[in-house]
Every structure is written in C-alpha cells, then in structure tokens.
Amino acid sequence: MNTEVLDPIKRAFVGKDEVIDLLGVCLIGGENLFILGPPGTAKSALVQGLGARLRGPAFTYLLTRFTEPAELFGPFDIRRLREGELRTNTDGMLTGASLVFLDELLNANSAILNSLLTALNERVVHRGQERIVVQALMFVGASNHLPEHDALHALFDRFLLRVHCDNVPAEQLAQVLDAGWRMESAEGTAVTLGFDEVRAAQRLVGQVALDAVNGEYVALIGRIRQAGIRVSDRRAVKLQRLIAASALMSGRPSARLSDLWVLRYIWDSDDQQEVLRALVQDAMAKEPPGADGARHPQAGVSDRPDAEALARDLAWIEERLASASGNGDRALLRDRLAILDGRAQWVAAGDQRELLARQIEALWPRLAEPAESAAIS
C-alpha cells in the first residue's frame, strides 16, 4: 500500500507526509482521523487524493449549522412512503461510500449528531425503525478549530487520531507551487486498491502479534493518564489496532516499540502535543537495537521539540496553576512541567531555549507544595 497508494500522494503533496501516513494507518486500522488546519492547507485535496486511489465511491460533504439528515443519509423514498413504508433512498449517500470525508465537522448540529455518532462508532444509522449499515472503510473529519461546545466533544472523541495540517515552511513553497502546477495538468489517477482488498488488510490487522509491546504499551497509557491526558479504556483498546496496522504496513507480522508512534496523535488540545511526543519518544527509545523488520516511516521522523508548542504548554500550566485546588492538581502540573523541562533542553535555537528555560525555572517554585513553598520563602 505504501508504494502503490501513499507514495504517489506524497509526491503530489509536498510537506504532507505526516498526514498522508496517518490516513494510511487509519485506513488499514479501520479507525477515523481528524485533521485540524486553516483553510487552504490541502485538507480536502489530501483525502480526495486517497479516495481517487480506492475503488468504490467516496462521499464528501461540507457541514453547516443547517445541514439536515437527508443531506448525509438520503431522503425518504416518497413512492414507498405512499405505500405506508418508511424507507430511505441511500443512492449516492454517506452509507454506501468506501471513504467518507466530513469537512467542517464541528459545525454538526443536534439534528444529525446522534446519527453521526452511531455511524462513526457502530457503522450503522437508525432512521425510525430502519437500520442502515454504513459501508465506510474510514471516516475523515476536518475543521479549522477544536470543539468549543460540550455537545461536540462526543463527536470529536470518535476520531481516534488527530493531526495538524498547516501551510508548508517557506523553504518548501517553491516545491509546492511546482507540484501544484503539475497536478493541474495531470490527466488522471490510477485506481489501485479495491474495497475488498482493504477489508482483507483490516482483517489481517487482527492477526498481528502485540506481545512484544504489551507491557510497555500499558505503562505508556498509565504515564499519559498521569500527565492529565484523558485516554478512556475504549480508546486504549482501539489504539491497539493502529499499532498493529503500523506493523502490517511495515511488512511485519508482529508489532515492536517503534509502532507506538501512533500515540503521538491522541491529543485533545494543543497543550498536550509536546507532552505526548516526549512520553512516546521515551517508550520508543527502549526498543532494542537491531530489532527485526523495517520501522514505519513516521517512527523514524526526527522528534525535535517545537519551541512554540512548548511555550503554549507552559502557558497552559501557568493558567491551570491559578485554579489549582490542592496537592493533587499541583502534582499533575509538576509532572507535566518535568516532561516539558526535558523537552526544552533539546530546542535547537539558543535564544528560544534560554527563554523557555527561564519560564520553566520561574514555574518550579510556584508549583511546590504549600509546606515546601513556605520553607523556600
């Protein structure tokens, strides 16, 4: 799949390897991906590029606050309604598509929310007494913001992995322009992967051996929870499929610690990303040298910390410090600060590294337990 499907998309979309690899691992793992990014960063084009390489229909829809259930799942069949039978005409709708892309996902309104939740989680839609099976191999959602209302958190939670899709760095802009121009003049896309082939690969995921990673995976989930990042038991169970999918896409029948890279993308908010990267990197570093088989491309990506992300995380700690109500809250914040402290030391730019070090140094005394803080003063 990497060679036939993902590599051509990577050549067409410069600087988007991370998003493309996540689309691939979620497709084979049978899980859903959420893409966060501003308009014009090729979110829709990336998903359409994958859909064009799959046999079978793709369904794409831009959600608004006024989107009605019939726009996604199909209108009621008027002819059968006259005969007293309530049936949905699903031709060309979401339920029959191989790949579903919901743009501006977080515009979903209450009229479609419950149906979307069951479609995403159980792959069925209930309309009255009618039960419609959803064929989708994968759902992809996109938005330029994170959920702001409680009602949307359940919808967001159905997307197991989340990834940023931003404008490429200035030094890659010339490559983007060239690749974009060549895409405009391209005559078509080869169809290379059928629905049944993907389903077969998804079944193979269940046969991948996880024995070599189970212990470290359990410990990693514990450390992530200890850092204050929510991972439900349901999500922890589902993530095993993506670890197995990473191994399968690397040509291996068994998982290894480098396949834990997928856990970098289980964040709920921006302030969790550097903490996750640090914890996952520590777990992956325990892989013995010379482990059998190839690593997934994303497992080998340089993990240099992002100074701006670290600054956001430190600002989050300072904000939470103002409302910390006891030693338990302070302990959580201290744990996260310790992780960020370790990351900040690896920031490449000296001035950014020194600024972050000063911020961290100023936070440590404020996070001391009350008795310890009094002794210091």
Side-chain angles (χ1 to χ4, degrees), residues 236-257:
V237 169
K238 282 176 165 286
L239 282 165
Q240 293 177 111
R241 285 193 58 82
L242 298 184
I243 294 168
S246 171
L248 193 64
M249 293 180 72
S250 304
R252 288 182 273 108
S254 57
R256 50 193 269 193
L257 292 181

PDB file of all heavy atoms in Angstrom, residues 236-257:
ATOM      1  N   ALA A 236      -8.068   3.104  24.492  1.00  0.00           N
ATOM      2  CA  ALA A 236      -6.850   2.307  24.670  1.00  0.00           C
ATOM      3  C   ALA A 236      -6.959   0.978  23.924  1.00  0.00           C
ATOM      4  O   ALA A 236      -5.982   0.510  23.319  1.00  0.00           O
ATOM      5  CB  ALA A 236      -6.591   2.067  26.155  1.00  0.00           C
ATOM      6  N   VAL A 237      -8.145   0.378  23.953  1.00  0.00           N
ATOM      7  CA  VAL A 237      -8.356  -0.877  23.223  1.00  0.00           C
ATOM      8  C   VAL A 237      -8.248  -0.643  21.722  1.00  0.00           C
ATOM      9  O   VAL A 237      -7.578  -1.387  20.991  1.00  0.00           O
ATOM     10  CB  VAL A 237      -9.728  -1.489  23.584  1.00  0.00           C
ATOM     11  CG1 VAL A 237     -10.082  -2.642  22.645  1.00  0.00           C
ATOM     12  CG2 VAL A 237      -9.720  -1.971  25.030  1.00  0.00           C
ATOM     13  N   LYS A 238      -8.904   0.421  21.215  1.00  0.00           N
ATOM     14  CA  LYS A 238      -8.901   0.698  19.779  1.00  0.00           C
ATOM     15  C   LYS A 238      -7.505   1.043  19.260  1.00  0.00           C
ATOM     16  O   LYS A 238      -7.149   0.707  18.121  1.00  0.00           O
ATOM     17  CB  LYS A 238      -9.872   1.843  19.467  1.00  0.00           C
ATOM     18  CG  LYS A 238     -11.333   1.450  19.450  1.00  0.00           C
ATOM     19  CD  LYS A 238     -12.218   2.655  19.240  1.00  0.00           C
ATOM     20  CE  LYS A 238     -13.636   2.260  18.867  1.00  0.00           C
ATOM     21  NZ  LYS A 238     -13.741   1.787  17.493  1.00  0.00           N
ATOM     22  N   LEU A 239      -6.708   1.711  20.058  1.00  0.00           N
ATOM     23  CA  LEU A 239      -5.366   2.105  19.617  1.00  0.00           C
ATOM     24  C   LEU A 239      -4.498   0.899  19.273  1.00  0.00           C
ATOM     25  O   LEU A 239      -3.564   1.012  18.466  1.00  0.00           O
ATOM     26  CB  LEU A 239      -4.691   2.960  20.694  1.00  0.00           C
ATOM     27  CG  LEU A 239      -5.150   4.419  20.751  1.00  0.00           C
ATOM     28  CD1 LEU A 239      -4.717   5.069  22.050  1.00  0.00           C
ATOM     29  CD2 LEU A 239      -4.591   5.194  19.554  1.00  0.00           C
ATOM     30  N   GLN A 240      -4.790  -0.243  19.863  1.00  0.00           N
ATOM     31  CA  GLN A 240      -4.021  -1.444  19.539  1.00  0.00           C
ATOM     32  C   GLN A 240      -4.122  -1.787  18.052  1.00  0.00           C
ATOM     33  O   GLN A 240      -3.166  -2.298  17.461  1.00  0.00           O
ATOM     34  CB  GLN A 240      -4.508  -2.625  20.381  1.00  0.00           C
ATOM     35  CG  GLN A 240      -4.219  -2.482  21.864  1.00  0.00           C
ATOM     36  CD  GLN A 240      -4.781  -3.637  22.655  1.00  0.00           C
ATOM     37  OE1 GLN A 240      -4.043  -4.454  23.185  1.00  0.00           O
ATOM     38  NE2 GLN A 240      -6.103  -3.723  22.722  1.00  0.00           N
ATOM     39  N   ARG A 241      -5.266  -1.509  17.449  1.00  0.00           N
ATOM     40  CA  ARG A 241      -5.422  -1.790  16.012  1.00  0.00           C
ATOM     41  C   ARG A 241      -4.486  -0.922  15.185  1.00  0.00           C
ATOM     42  O   ARG A 241      -3.967  -1.366  14.153  1.00  0.00           O
ATOM     43  CB  ARG A 241      -6.870  -1.567  15.563  1.00  0.00           C
ATOM     44  CG  ARG A 241      -7.833  -2.656  15.994  1.00  0.00           C
ATOM     45  CD  ARG A 241      -9.158  -2.544  15.267  1.00  0.00           C
ATOM     46  NE  ARG A 241      -9.044  -2.614  13.819  1.00  0.00           N
ATOM     47  CZ  ARG A 241      -8.948  -3.750  13.134  1.00  0.00           C
ATOM     48  NH1 ARG A 241      -8.945  -4.909  13.755  1.00  0.00           N
ATOM     49  NH2 ARG A 241      -8.857  -3.726  11.806  1.00  0.00           N
ATOM     50  N   LEU A 242      -4.266   0.312  15.607  1.00  0.00           N
ATOM     51  CA  LEU A 242      -3.398   1.194  14.831  1.00  0.00           C
ATOM     52  C   LEU A 242      -1.926   0.835  15.038  1.00  0.00           C
ATOM     53  O   LEU A 242      -1.112   0.998  14.131  1.00  0.00           O
ATOM     54  CB  LEU A 242      -3.674   2.650  15.197  1.00  0.00           C
ATOM     55  CG  LEU A 242      -5.093   3.127  14.883  1.00  0.00           C
ATOM     56  CD1 LEU A 242      -5.243   4.607  15.185  1.00  0.00           C
ATOM     57  CD2 LEU A 242      -5.452   2.851  13.421  1.00  0.00           C
ATOM     58  N   ILE A 243      -1.581   0.372  16.228  1.00  0.00           N
ATOM     59  CA  ILE A 243      -0.220  -0.139  16.454  1.00  0.00           C
ATOM     60  C   ILE A 243       0.023  -1.336  15.537  1.00  0.00           C
ATOM     61  O   ILE A 243       1.066  -1.448  14.880  1.00  0.00           O
ATOM     62  CB  ILE A 243      -0.041  -0.535  17.937  1.00  0.00           C
ATOM     63  CG1 ILE A 243      -0.123   0.708  18.831  1.00  0.00           C
ATOM     64  CG2 ILE A 243       1.285  -1.262  18.154  1.00  0.00           C
ATOM     65  CD1 ILE A 243      -0.239   0.391  20.314  1.00  0.00           C
ATOM     66  N   ALA A 244      -0.974  -2.237  15.465  1.00  0.00           N
ATOM     67  CA  ALA A 244      -0.871  -3.404  14.591  1.00  0.00           C
ATOM     68  C   ALA A 244      -0.842  -2.992  13.122  1.00  0.00           C
ATOM     69  O   ALA A 244      -0.100  -3.575  12.315  1.00  0.00           O
ATOM     70  CB  ALA A 244      -2.043  -4.355  14.857  1.00  0.00           C
ATOM     71  N   ALA A 245      -1.631  -1.976  12.746  1.00  0.00           N
ATOM     72  CA  ALA A 245      -1.640  -1.501  11.359  1.00  0.00           C
ATOM     73  C   ALA A 245      -0.281  -0.938  10.965  1.00  0.00           C
ATOM     74  O   ALA A 245       0.188  -1.140   9.841  1.00  0.00           O
ATOM     75  CB  ALA A 245      -2.727  -0.441  11.177  1.00  0.00           C
ATOM     76  N   SER A 246       0.381  -0.234  11.883  1.00  0.00           N
ATOM     77  CA  SER A 246       1.727   0.277  11.620  1.00  0.00           C
ATOM     78  C   SER A 246       2.689  -0.865  11.324  1.00  0.00           C
ATOM     79  O   SER A 246       3.508  -0.788  10.398  1.00  0.00           O
ATOM     80  CB  SER A 246       2.224   1.088  12.827  1.00  0.00           C
ATOM     81  OG  SER A 246       3.582   1.422  12.693  1.00  0.00           O
ATOM     82  N   ALA A 247       2.591  -1.939  12.111  1.00  0.00           N
ATOM     83  CA  ALA A 247       3.457  -3.101  11.885  1.00  0.00           C
ATOM     84  C   ALA A 247       3.155  -3.738  10.533  1.00  0.00           C
ATOM     85  O   ALA A 247       4.073  -4.049   9.754  1.00  0.00           O
ATOM     86  CB  ALA A 247       3.261  -4.113  13.012  1.00  0.00           C
ATOM     87  N   LEU A 248       1.869  -3.914  10.227  1.00  0.00           N
ATOM     88  CA  LEU A 248       1.468  -4.549   8.972  1.00  0.00           C
ATOM     89  C   LEU A 248       1.949  -3.743   7.766  1.00  0.00           C
ATOM     90  O   LEU A 248       2.448  -4.306   6.777  1.00  0.00           O
ATOM     91  CB  LEU A 248      -0.054  -4.690   8.943  1.00  0.00           C
ATOM     92  CG  LEU A 248      -0.647  -5.590   7.867  1.00  0.00           C
ATOM     93  CD1 LEU A 248      -0.225  -7.031   8.061  1.00  0.00           C
ATOM     94  CD2 LEU A 248      -2.174  -5.483   7.873  1.00  0.00           C
ATOM     95  N   MET A 249       1.833  -2.415   7.846  1.00  0.00           N
ATOM     96  CA  MET A 249       2.263  -1.569   6.743  1.00  0.00           C
ATOM     97  C   MET A 249       3.786  -1.525   6.608  1.00  0.00           C
ATOM     98  O   MET A 249       4.302  -1.111   5.575  1.00  0.00           O
ATOM     99  CB  MET A 249       1.700  -0.154   6.924  1.00  0.00           C
ATOM    100  CG  MET A 249       0.192  -0.100   6.799  1.00  0.00           C
ATOM    101  SD  MET A 249      -0.460   1.561   7.009  1.00  0.00           S
ATOM    102  CE  MET A 249       0.079   2.323   5.486  1.00  0.00           C
ATOM    103  N   SER A 250       4.479  -1.967   7.650  1.00  0.00           N
ATOM    104  CA  SER A 250       5.942  -2.053   7.596  1.00  0.00           C
ATOM    105  C   SER A 250       6.404  -3.446   7.188  1.00  0.00           C
ATOM    106  O   SER A 250       7.605  -3.738   7.208  1.00  0.00           O
ATOM    107  CB  SER A 250       6.533  -1.683   8.962  1.00  0.00           C
ATOM    108  OG  SER A 250       6.097  -0.395   9.374  1.00  0.00           O
ATOM    109  N   GLY A 251       5.436  -4.305   6.854  1.00  0.00           N
ATOM    110  CA  GLY A 251       5.765  -5.640   6.383  1.00  0.00           C
ATOM    111  C   GLY A 251       6.090  -6.633   7.472  1.00  0.00           C
ATOM    112  O   GLY A 251       6.788  -7.623   7.232  1.00  0.00           O
ATOM    113  N   ARG A 252       5.572  -6.396   8.677  1.00  0.00           N
ATOM    114  CA  ARG A 252       5.890  -7.278   9.809  1.00  0.00           C
ATOM    115  C   ARG A 252       4.635  -7.948  10.356  1.00  0.00           C
ATOM    116  O   ARG A 252       3.582  -7.308  10.413  1.00  0.00           O
ATOM    117  CB  ARG A 252       6.547  -6.463  10.933  1.00  0.00           C
ATOM    118  CG  ARG A 252       7.961  -6.030  10.637  1.00  0.00           C
ATOM    119  CD  ARG A 252       8.579  -5.265  11.800  1.00  0.00           C
ATOM    120  NE  ARG A 252       8.259  -3.833  11.731  1.00  0.00           N
ATOM    121  CZ  ARG A 252       7.430  -3.206  12.527  1.00  0.00           C
ATOM    122  NH1 ARG A 252       6.778  -3.869  13.465  1.00  0.00           N
ATOM    123  NH2 ARG A 252       7.224  -1.907  12.401  1.00  0.00           N
ATOM    124  N   PRO A 253       4.745  -9.210  10.808  1.00  0.00           N
ATOM    125  CA  PRO A 253       3.603  -9.896  11.423  1.00  0.00           C
ATOM    126  C   PRO A 253       3.478  -9.619  12.917  1.00  0.00           C
ATOM    127  O   PRO A 253       2.562 -10.108  13.562  1.00  0.00           O
ATOM    128  CB  PRO A 253       3.917 -11.374  11.172  1.00  0.00           C
ATOM    129  CG  PRO A 253       5.412 -11.438  11.213  1.00  0.00           C
ATOM    130  CD  PRO A 253       5.905 -10.129  10.629  1.00  0.00           C
ATOM    131  N   SER A 254       4.416  -8.863  13.468  1.00  0.00           N
ATOM    132  CA  SER A 254       4.373  -8.559  14.903  1.00  0.00           C
ATOM    133  C   SER A 254       4.778  -7.106  15.132  1.00  0.00           C
ATOM    134  O   SER A 254       5.588  -6.538  14.391  1.00  0.00           O
ATOM    135  CB  SER A 254       5.291  -9.494  15.691  1.00  0.00           C
ATOM    136  OG  SER A 254       6.618  -9.415  15.212  1.00  0.00           O
ATOM    137  N   ALA A 255       4.193  -6.517  16.159  1.00  0.00           N
ATOM    138  CA  ALA A 255       4.476  -5.116  16.486  1.00  0.00           C
ATOM    139  C   ALA A 255       5.773  -5.004  17.278  1.00  0.00           C
ATOM    140  O   ALA A 255       6.206  -5.949  17.932  1.00  0.00           O
ATOM    141  CB  ALA A 255       3.318  -4.512  17.275  1.00  0.00           C
ATOM    142  N   ARG A 256       6.392  -3.826  17.198  1.00  0.00           N
ATOM    143  CA  ARG A 256       7.567  -3.510  18.007  1.00  0.00           C
ATOM    144  C   ARG A 256       7.378  -2.125  18.596  1.00  0.00           C
ATOM    145  O   ARG A 256       6.443  -1.402  18.226  1.00  0.00           O
ATOM    146  CB  ARG A 256       8.839  -3.617  17.174  1.00  0.00           C
ATOM    147  CG  ARG A 256       8.766  -2.878  15.872  1.00  0.00           C
ATOM    148  CD  ARG A 256       9.891  -3.231  14.924  1.00  0.00           C
ATOM    149  NE  ARG A 256      11.023  -2.346  15.096  1.00  0.00           N
ATOM    150  CZ  ARG A 256      12.039  -2.265  14.226  1.00  0.00           C
ATOM    151  NH1 ARG A 256      12.070  -3.047  13.166  1.00  0.00           N
ATOM    152  NH2 ARG A 256      13.035  -1.432  14.421  1.00  0.00           N
ATOM    153  N   LEU A 257       8.261  -1.733  19.501  1.00  0.00           N
ATOM    154  CA  LEU A 257       8.040  -0.487  20.246  1.00  0.00           C
ATOM    155  C   LEU A 257       7.974   0.738  19.336  1.00  0.00           C
ATOM    156  O   LEU A 257       7.284   1.706  19.650  1.00  0.00           O
ATOM    157  CB  LEU A 257       9.135  -0.309  21.300  1.00  0.00           C
ATOM    158  CG  LEU A 257       9.102  -1.309  22.463  1.00  0.00           C
ATOM    159  CD1 LEU A 257      10.228  -1.017  23.454  1.00  0.00           C
ATOM    160  CD2 LEU A 257       7.758  -1.283  23.178  1.00  0.00           C
TER     161      LEU A 257
END
